[in-house]
Amino acid sequence: MKLSIAISALAVLNFTNAFAPRPIQVPSPISKTTSASAAVSVSKPFSPSPSKKTCMSSTTASSSTAAPSSTMELNEDFQTAMDQVVTTLSTALNNPAMEGPLKHFTTEYFYACQAASESGVESITAESTAKNMMDALQYGMKFGLGEEKYQFGSTHTALRGVNGNPEEEKGNLIDFYKFGCDFFRPAMDLQKSLVLGQDGTEEGAQAALAQIRSQLENGENVVLFANHQSEADPQVMSCLLEKVDMEKEAEEIVYVAGHKVTTDTLAIPFSMGRNLICIHSKKHIDADPETKPTKQKQNLTAMNGMLGKLKAGGTMIWVAPSGGRDRRDLESETGYVPIAPFDQKTVDMFRLMGNKSKVKTHYYSVSMVSYDLCPPPDFVEAGVGEQRNVRFVPVGITVSDELENVGGVESRHLFTENAFAACQEGYDKLLEKLK
């Protein structure tokens, strides 16, 4: 959590509460006989400029196969499925002004999923892609708008539906955690994705993760200081930890979430599937001076909720001390994406909370390479509804060795510097191995 929790990759439509959509029905079955010309015309996806292509290739190895591209065309199945999704949604929304951003995101997702299918992932089909997209939009419209809009508290427990406790979830039967993973998993080239340790090896990752598992099983706490690149970072964490048999631990991670992912219409269902500590990040808390006192009060309540989790023990928290996502360097000819600096006050606060909990708390740095999966805007935007792109690319994480508890009252900056250095080292190794 972002944190900003990194979940809101679907916030491509800037819905308003004044808009009341009609119920959407998933088009099924997909008919190959449907004429593409009879459906709403969908233009080819945005083709990155040379500078953007350079940026894409700067962080992942598969930018040459990333979707969409100027040379890729949708095959008949994917084109027909996409046309039907866009037609169905356009009819149900009955709002021509929304068709542009909707078609853009839908097109991006279909191209990414076709690239995954063509890479050999047999489970990804035109039908599964259409279902994922329709589910995302349906949930966003149901739980992100109007009277049924979901309201998050200062802390939030993932809604798992039939895989959780429907009675405590007021009858909810939807596993929002599974929904989020199923949506983004097709866009990750998991075969080429990496989970590494501080030494740059898979064995190093296995050792660090085994230690984390043991600490959690002993009732101790773990805090992961991570850089943050994509709003799909929680799903990246889950899908990559599944690769190394850490599925259970992945499901229980608590993310520190910024306000966007709990207020943006189409981000809300993804956030509903995550354990969250809901805060206003440092980068956005001053956006509206009139609401600053209220936001600060909400942050205090959230911190008290986090302290309660740490006192209970066996809690793993993911936080981005930078307070937001990494942005590409616009002055770099290669489009390099540097890690945003860690905020010392944020790191200090988590160390303080660990001490106040009276439960042994361990700290690790996590490096994330996920920028190309769902690149953020080049500049921080205070509002919601930013346009998103999606690419089929490998992703990666590096888990450092446990951070040494260096730096006392007078030199506490040393701990933050070491945490950032470990994150930077892991990031550089990931970029090199993903080339």
Side-chain angles (χ1 to χ4, degrees), residues 1-317:
M1 298 276 89
K2 306 188 171 313
L3 141 158
S4 155
I5 179 177
I7 301 186
S8 154
L10 282 179
V12 296
L13 305 178
N14 191 12
F15 286 88
T16 64
N17 288 333
F19 172 65
R22 297 195 297 274
I24 298 176
Q25 299 297 323
V26 178
S28 176
I30 294 174
S31 172
K32 294 183 179 181
T33 60
T34 300
S35 171
S37 61
V40 173
S41 175
V42 179
S43 60
K44 288 185 62 177
F46 168 70
S47 178
S49 64
S51 60
K52 184 162 186 177
K53 288 184 178 180
T54 301
C55 168
M56 303 297 285
S57 63
S58 68
T59 54
T60 62
S62 66
S63 59
S64 60
T65 60
S69 71
S70 59
T71 58
M72 173 182 277
E73 296 285 351
L74 288 182
N75 63 35
E76 181 182 359
D77 288 344
F78 276 86
Q79 183 68 55
T80 300
M82 185 178 72
D83 287 345
Q84 291 192 357
V85 168
V86 171
T87 300
T88 302
L89 288 174
S90 297
T91 302
L93 294 173
N94 193 28
N95 188 330
M98 299 180 67
E99 286 190 16
L102 170 59
K103 290 197 295 188
H104 176 84
F105 185 76
T106 301
T107 303
E108 290 272 309
Y109 188 69
F110 268 85
Y111 271 74
C113 288
Q114 177 175 293
S117 178
E118 292 179 348
S119 76
V121 186
E122 296 181 358
S123 61
I124 301 176
T125 64
E127 287 76 9
S128 67
T129 302
K131 182 182 185 305
N132 286 347
M133 179 57 68
M134 294 300 293
D135 283 348
L137 273 294
Q138 285 181 313
Y139 294 157
M141 291 164 64
K142 179 177 176 62
F143 300 107
L145 284 174
E147 296 180 357
E148 293 189 63
K149 183 172 183 177
Y150 189 84
Q151 300 297 321
F152 292 86
S154 58
T155 62
H156 171 75
T157 300
L159 299 179
R160 301 301 305 273
V162 295
N163 293 319
N165 191 330
E167 292 183 4
E168 293 184 1
E169 298 177 11
K170 300 180 180 180
N172 168 57
L173 298 178
I174 302 170
D175 187 342
F176 287 97
Y177 176 90
K178 182 178 183 299
F179 150 70
C181 291
D182 288 348
F183 184 89
F184 281 109
R185 188 180 290 108
M188 301 179 208
D189 189 347
L190 293 175
Q191 185 175 2
K192 297 179 181 178
S193 296
L194 297 173
V195 181
L196 305 177
Q198 186 167 315
D199 62 355
T201 69
E202 295 179 356
E203 292 76 16
Q206 291 171 357
L209 291 170
Q211 180 171 284
I212 289 175
R213 172 181 283 161
S214 176
Q215 291 165 344
L216 293 171
E217 290 176 345
N218 289 336
E220 299 166 358
N221 299 314
V222 171
V223 176
L224 307 175
F225 294 121
N227 68 305
H228 176 31
Q229 296 206 320
S230 164
E231 289 180 316
D233 278 350
Q235 287 73 32
V236 170
M237 285 291 295
S238 293
C239 292
L240 291 185
L241 289 179
E242 288 174 4
K243 285 170 59 76
V244 291
D245 298 322
M246 292 279 287
E247 181 175 2
K248 178 178 180 295
E249 289 78 6
E251 294 177 359
E252 296 176 353
I253 295 176
V254 179
Y255 292 87
V256 181
H259 75 286
K260 280 191 176 184
V261 299
T262 58
T263 57
D264 192 291
T265 298
L266 291 178
I268 285 176
F270 290 88
S271 300
M272 291 168 69
R274 296 287 161 168
N275 302 309
L276 303 178
I277 299 167
C278 304
I279 67 168
H280 296 276
S281 71
K282 181 180 179 181
K283 287 185 177 181
H284 298 287
I285 197 170
D286 295 326
D288 182 3
E290 293 184 3
T291 62
K292 184 174 181 178
T294 300
K295 294 175 182 177
Q296 291 175 325
K297 183 178 180 180
Q298 292 172 345
N299 280 359
L300 180 60
T301 302
M303 290 302 99
N304 289 333
M306 181 178 72
L307 181 59
K309 292 179 181 295
L310 292 173
K311 286 182 176 180
T315 297
M316 179 157 56
I317 297 176

Side-chain angles (χ1 to χ4, degrees), residues 221 223 225 300 303-304 306-308 310-311 317 344-363 405-409 412 415-416:
N221 299 314
V223 176
F225 294 121
L300 180 60
M303 290 302 99
N304 289 333
M306 181 178 72
L307 181 59
L310 292 173
K311 286 182 176 180
I317 297 176
Q344 182 179 313
K345 291 183 179 179
T346 299
V347 174
D348 288 346
M349 180 189 66
F350 277 85
R351 295 179 71 193
L352 174 63
M353 289 293 180
N355 290 334
K356 290 183 67 174
S357 72
K358 306 299 182 184
V359 175
K360 191 169 185 178
T361 302
H362 307 270
Y363 302 92
N405 192 18
V406 298
V409 175
R412 58 185 183 275
F415 183 90
T416 301

